[in-house]
């Protein structure tokens, strides 16, 4: 990307195939390893500085699988989300049934069986998971950290089941980072949205909601700026700068929110001290069990998770 020689508000964007596009606005929506962000010289780091403390959910593995035979029991009911917590891990099971099979098996390995999504925090002491964990890795993960109803270990499950088909698998880290700024100029106005502007842990499911809101508010701001530019070619960047600062602030709020959820989820069950023969995780579970009975608490949690309070 280079500033146009004839117009200070235009950037010439060159592609590998030799194509050159002249642009007044450039939206960097190219993910956490954003090339747009790098070329623009925008930094990307954790707002609280380097995090040297490893928490339970620091590295995760997720996969879509089918089983043979298909597991049964209350935890395998379609649409339910089930969590299994241990002292050093967190395992999540989501039975999709077969209604999404066409979308989930687009790699040609079609199936008519029920698909299950499994996600698991891998303890740092176990080493780094492979880039695309194979079936054997996922099976061992399920046997170690998952509920017994989907285990292949006959000593744990009276009706053992094994992974039949590994539809998809991945690994990821739950790090947080934010761009130093989400708006700059290199001739054209350059904006960062979504993962190019901010990343955080998946706790609370905030990522996609925040990115969509980035796009919606940015579209409004760019539209206003285009109209203002049509009336006055020398219009300044106030409109663009204001929305960039607002989105940056919302991203910081969301990162803080997910970090709090992550700390809450990472509490351990090991006894705290001789005079407190139980862990903070037990205190958390009891508190949530009591407070979760109240409607106003449920509404407050739902409001926070929805992201509507941080538009």
């Amino acid at each position: 990307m280079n500033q146009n020689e004839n117009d200070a508000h235009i950037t010439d964007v060159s592609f590998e195939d030799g194509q050159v596009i002249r642009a007044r606005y450039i939206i960097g929506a190219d993910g956490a390893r954003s090339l747009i962000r790098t070329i623009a010289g925008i930094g990307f780091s954790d707002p609280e500085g380097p995090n040297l403390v490893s928490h339970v959910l620091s590295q995760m593995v997720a996969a879509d699988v089918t089983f043979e035979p298909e597991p049964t029991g209350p935890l395998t009911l379609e649409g339910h989300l089930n969590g299994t917590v241990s002292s050093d891990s967190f395992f999540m099971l989501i039975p999709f049934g077969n209604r999404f099979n066409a979308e989930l098996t687009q790699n040609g390995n079609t199936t008519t069986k029920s698909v299950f999504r499994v996600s698991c925090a891998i303890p740092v002491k176990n080493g780094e998971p492979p880039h695309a964990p194979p079936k054997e890795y996922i099976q061992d993960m399920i046997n170690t950290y998952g509920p017994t109803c989907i285990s292949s270990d006959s000593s744990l499950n009276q009706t053992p089941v094994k992974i039949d088909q590994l539809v998809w698998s991945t690994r990821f880290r739950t790090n947080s980072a934010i761009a130093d700024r989400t708006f700059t100029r290199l001739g054209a106005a350059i904006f960062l949205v979504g993962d190019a502007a901010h990343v955080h842990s998946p706790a609370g499911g905030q990522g996609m909601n925040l990115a969509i809101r980035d796009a919606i508010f940015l579209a409004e701001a760019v539209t206003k700026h285009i109209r203002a530019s049509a009336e006055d070619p020398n219009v300044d960047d106030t409109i663009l700068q204001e929305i960039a600062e607002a989105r940056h602030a919302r991203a910081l709020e969301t990162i803080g929110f997910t970090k709090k959820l992550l700390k809450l989820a990472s509490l351990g069950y090991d006894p705290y001290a001789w005079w407190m023969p139980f862990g903070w995780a037990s205190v958390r579970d009891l508190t949530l069990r009591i407070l979760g009975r109240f409607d106003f608490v449920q509404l407050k949690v739902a409001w926070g998770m929805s992201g509507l309070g941080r538009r």
Side-chain angles (χ1 to χ4, degrees), residues 59-61 122-123 126-133 137 170-173:
Q59 55 183 14
M60 302 282 294
V61 165
I122 305 299
N126 292 2
E128 186 177 2
H131 177 68
Y137 186 97
T170 190
R171 68 172 186 195
F172 58 91
R173 297 189 64 84

Side-chain angles (χ1 to χ4, degrees), residues 19-94:
Q19 182 183 18
V20 179
I21 294 178
R22 300 171 69 241
R24 288 189 180 274
Y25 302 90
I26 297 173
I27 312 300
D30 50 342
R33 299 179 180 179
S34 172
L35 182 60
I36 300 295
R37 187 185 66 230
T38 301
I39 294 175
I42 299 175
F44 195 61
S45 60
D46 191 313
E48 297 180 1
N51 182 12
L52 302 179
V53 180
S54 296
H55 50 73
V56 172
L57 303 179
S58 62
Q59 55 183 14
M60 302 282 294
V61 165
D64 290 340
V65 300
T66 64
F67 292 101
E68 178 59 41
E70 292 197 9
T72 58
L75 298 185
T76 65
L77 295 177
E78 180 181 342
H80 287 212
L81 189 153
N82 310 283
T84 303
V85 180
S86 59
S87 60
D88 60 352
S89 181
F90 176 79
F91 189 97
M92 188 166 62
L93 171 67
I94 307 176

Side-chain angles (χ1 to χ4, degrees), residues 110-169:
T110 58
T111 182
T112 58
K113 291 185 175 181
S114 296
V115 175
F116 295 80
R117 175 157 297 177
V118 294
S119 301
C120 183
I122 305 299
V124 175
K125 65 182 181 181
N126 292 2
E128 186 177 2
H131 177 68
K135 181 191 295 187
E136 295 75 18
Y137 186 97
I138 302 299
Q139 184 69 73
D140 182 65
M141 178 185 81
I142 290 173
N143 290 348
T144 305
Y145 302 108
T148 57
C149 64
I150 58 172
S151 174
S152 65
D153 188 342
S154 57
S155 65
L156 299 175
N157 188 3
Q158 294 182 352
T159 55
V161 299
K162 291 184 178 181
I163 294 177
D164 179 41
Q165 182 178 333
L166 177 61
V167 179
W168 161 86
S169 68

